[in-house]
Amino acid sequence: FRRVLFRSGWAAISNVHALSFEIAAHPAFTGFRIDHVDGLSDPEQYLSNLADGWRARRSENPADDRRPFVVVEKILGRGEILPPGWMADGTTGYDFIPILGDLFIRPQGQNRLRAVASQMGSPGSFDEVAEESKRLVLQTTLAAELTVLARRLDRISEQHRYTRDFTSNHLQAALGEVIACFPVYRTYIRRDDPEVSERDRAVIRRAVVAARRRNPLLNSSLFDFIESVLLRRDPPELAEAQIDERRTFVTRFQQLTGPVVAKGTEDTAFYRYLPLVGANEVGSHPGQLGRSESEVHRALGTRREIAPHTLSATATHDTKRGEDARARLYALSEVADGWAAAVEQWSASNAAHKTEVDGLPAPDAAEELLLYQTLVATWPLGGRDSEPDFADRIRAYMTKARHEAKVHTSWINPYPAYDAAAESFVDAVLDPARSGAFLASLEGFARTLAPAGLCTSLSQVLLKIAAPGIPDFYQGTELWDFSLVDPDNRRLIDFSRRHDWLRGMLAEFEARGAAPIRSWFAAPEDGRIKLWITAAALRLRRARRSLFERGDYQPLAPQGNAAEHVFAFARTERDQAALAVVGRFFVTLGATPPIGKAWGDTRLTLPASVSGRRFRDALTGRLLAANGDSLALAAVFEDLPLALLETVP
C-alpha cells in the first residue's frame, strides 16, 4: 500500500494503520520506522497524516501538537537533506556509513585502486557505470513502468502544437535518458505546491543537462519539453484536466526514479564498479574515495544542526557486507601498491582454473577481482578451518554477485555455461589441494590487514555512539561481523552468549579495572573487545543523554607526528563535555600494537571550555588530566587506540 496517496486525511490512514496505532499505544513504543518512503506519491502528506492519526489515538485535545518519533528509510546523497516540511526526525541511518568511509579510506590510495580495477576489467568511472546500469534496468526490469510513463508524456505532448509532433519512441528514449542521469533518488514536487523548490529545480536541470549532453542524436527540444513538464512551465490556456494530467505525470515520474536508482545503482553498479568494494554501500558515491578531515567534521556538524535525532547505522539488513568486513577493506587504501602486486600474482596463479566459454575465459577478470576482495574482507580471524561453512558462504555470495552484476548472466536470463565455469573457478580457488599456494598467500595478506581492520572497527563503533544522531545496531554486530549481503547477514544470532559474556566482563572490570580490557584488545579474535567498547560507550551515553542528544559538536585538532592518524571531536553542554578520540590509518601508522608510545609527540588541542579539566575514559575507567589546553595522545591511547573521555570534577 505504500503507493497510496492518503489525501483523505488521518481517518483513512488510521484505518489502514489500525494495528500500528494499537501497538503505538503500548508503553514500550518508541517510534515509527517508515520503509520505502520514496515509493509514496506524497511522502510529506503521508507523514502528516501519520502524526494526525497517532495524535487522535493519544489525545482528545485539539491543541495537542505532539507527534511520534519517526525515521524514514530515505537514501540521502552527499550533501542532500530531508525536505524541511517532513514530520520526521531523520533517516534510518544509511547516510552515516559513507561519512565513516570518507574518514577511514585514505584518499592517496584511490588512483592506484582504480588502476588495478581498470586492469582487471572494471570500468573506471562510477557515474558512467551507474548511468549504464540504470538504463539497463529501465530496458528490462522496469520497462513496463517506463512505457506507461512515456505514454502519459505522449498524451501531454498532444496538448500543444509545438510538441505534438514528437513521436512516442523518441519521447520514451529521452525520458529514459533523463531518469538514467538522475543524480538522487527522487524529487518531492507536490501536486498542490505553488512552485517547485529550488533544490528540486536544480536536480531536474542537472539530469536534463546530463541527458542532453550524452545523447546528441536526440532532438534537444525533447529534453526542453520534459524539463518544462517537470518544472511546471505550462503553456497558456490549458484546461484543468490537462493541467491535472501534467501533475499526475510528475507524481508518477518521481515514484519511478527511486526504484531505478535502487535497482540500477545498489543492485547492479555496486557489483560492476570494483576499485574498493567496501565503499559500495547504500548512499555512497564510490567514485570519490575519502574526504578531508574538515569535510567529515562539517558533515557531522550538519547532522547536529539539521537532524540531531536521525539514526546512525553501520550495518543494516540491506548493507552489502558486514561493518567489520568493510572496515578491513578500507585498509586496502593504505596498501594500494601491495594490493596491486598481490592481485597480479593471484591472477597469474589461478589462470589455470579458468574455463573458456564462447572464446573468452570465465569468469572474467572483474568478477575475479571481486572474489579476491571478498576473500580478504571475510577471511576468518581464526583461519579458514575455524569456519566450516566459509567456502559455502563465499560460493553463495559470488553466485548472487554474478547475477546482480548482469554482465554475463542474470536471474531472469541465466547463462548456464558461464555460471558453471564461474562456479568451478570459485571451487578450485577455495580448494587447498588445488590452490594451496594461493590460499596461503591470500591468508598472509589478509592477516596483515586484520589488526588495522579491527582497530578501525572499534573506532567506527565509538564514533557511531558519540557522534550526532541516535546509534543503531543491527542484530549480532555486538561481536565481529564479517557477513556478506543477504541472506548471509540474516543468519541466527547467539544472543545468550553475548549476554553471558557481557555480564562476566562487567564483573571482571569491577574486580580488576583496565587489566582485562587490555587482554581483550591483545587477543581480539573472539570479539569481546568490540562488545566491551559498545557497552561501555552506551553506558556513558545513557548517563549523559542530554549531552549526546542535544550537545554542541566541536571539532578537535590533533597536532604532532601522527596527527593524520587521529580524529576527534567534543560534545559539550554547559559545564559538561565528552571527547571522542579515535585512531585511523593504522597500517601506515606502522606500530603494532597502536597504543602508548606509538603516538609519539601527538597532542590534542582542547577547547577553552575544558582546558585544564580532568577526564575519565568511559572505556577503561582511567583518569587523565589536561596539560593546559592539550592532551598527550600517548596517555589517552595508553590501553586502546580510542577513548571516550568525560569531564569529571
Side-chain angles (χ1 to χ4, degrees), residues 58-85:
R58 302 281 297 235
S59 173
E60 297 180 358
N61 179 7
D64 186 354
D65 61 353
R66 292 178 301 160
R67 67 169 179 83
F69 177 78
V70 174
V71 290
V72 294
E73 189 187 37
K74 163 62 188 167
I75 312 304
L76 297 174
R78 184 174 289 185
E80 187 182 8
I81 63 173
L82 286 180

Side-chain angles (χ1 to χ4, degrees), residues 3 9 57 61 65 104 152 273 281 306 319-320 322 336 383 407 482 490 510 512 551 587:
R3 291 183 178 271
R57 296 292 187 98
N61 179 7
D65 61 353
F104 293 122
R152 285 183 179 273
Y273 185 77
E281 284 296 350
I306 294 177
T319 42
K320 300 302 180 185
V407 176
F482 296 101
R490 304 182 191 190
E510 291 175 3
R512 301 173 54 210
V587 177

Side-chain angles (χ1 to χ4, degrees), residues 111-122 275 336 339-341 343 369:
N111 288 338
R112 192 72 174 103
L113 293 175
R114 277 198 289 265
V116 172
S118 178
Q119 291 165 7
M120 295 293 286
S122 178
W339 171 244
V343 169
L369 178 63

Side-chain angles (χ1 to χ4, degrees), residues 319-505:
T319 42
K320 300 302 180 185
R321 51 197 51 81
E323 60 187 41
D324 302 314
R326 191 186 316 124
R328 189 186 292 176
L329 284 172
Y330 291 159
L332 288 180
S333 66
E334 301 183 69
V335 295
D337 288 337
W339 171 244
V343 169
E344 183 178 5
Q345 174 192 335
W346 298 340
S347 183
S349 66
N350 290 325
H353 301 314
K354 292 196 174 187
T355 304
E356 197 169 277
V357 176
D358 289 341
L360 296 173
D364 67 17
E367 186 175 332
E368 184 182 357
L369 178 63
L370 176 60
L371 173 62
Y372 296 150
Q373 290 194 58
T374 302
L375 290 171
V376 167
T378 59
W379 196 262
L381 294 171
R384 174 182 165 165
D385 293 341
S386 66
E387 289 191 22
D389 65 341
F390 179 71
D392 290 337
R393 291 176 52 222
I394 297 299
R395 289 188 193 96
Y397 171 76
M398 292 304 299
T399 295
K400 178 167 184 172
R402 184 182 313 121
H403 289 81
E404 296 284 10
K406 308 173 188 68
V407 176
H408 301 286
T409 186
S410 70
W411 298 117
I412 61 175
N413 185 19
Y415 186 5
Y418 182 88
D419 288 332
E423 289 167 9
S424 176
F425 179 81
V426 174
D427 288 340
V429 161
L430 294 175
D431 183 357
R434 290 183 282 175
S435 303
F438 159 72
L439 290 173
S441 175
L442 184 134
E443 181 169 23
F445 188 90
R447 286 189 180 280
T448 64
L449 299 186
L454 297 183
C455 289
T456 298
S457 293
L458 299 180
S459 295
Q460 187 170 250
V461 170
L462 183 61
L463 293 180
K464 176 170 70 172
I465 294 171
I470 306 299
D472 180 65
F473 293 85
Y474 184 59
Q475 56 187 17
T477 57
E478 302 85 3
L479 300 181
W480 302 128
D481 175 26
F482 296 101
S483 60
L484 293 161
V485 73
D486 70 281
D488 194 55
N489 62 6
R490 304 182 191 190
R491 290 170 290 161
L492 292 177
I493 305 299
D494 187 349
F495 288 106
S496 61
R497 179 176 64 161
R498 289 159 171 77
H499 179 270
D500 292 344
W501 278 11
L502 183 57
R503 184 170 54 185
M505 294 165 74

Side-chain angles (χ1 to χ4, degrees), residues 595-631:
I595 55 177
K597 295 181 180 179
W599 298 92
D601 65 352
T602 310
R603 307 184 70 80
L604 195 65
T605 303
L606 302 176
S609 59
V610 295
S611 291
R613 296 285 297 272
R614 296 173 71 240
F615 300 90
R616 185 187 75 87
D617 185 357
L619 308 182
T620 64
R622 290 179 53 244
L623 294 174
L624 297 93
N627 182 7
D629 67 348
S630 68
L631 281 169

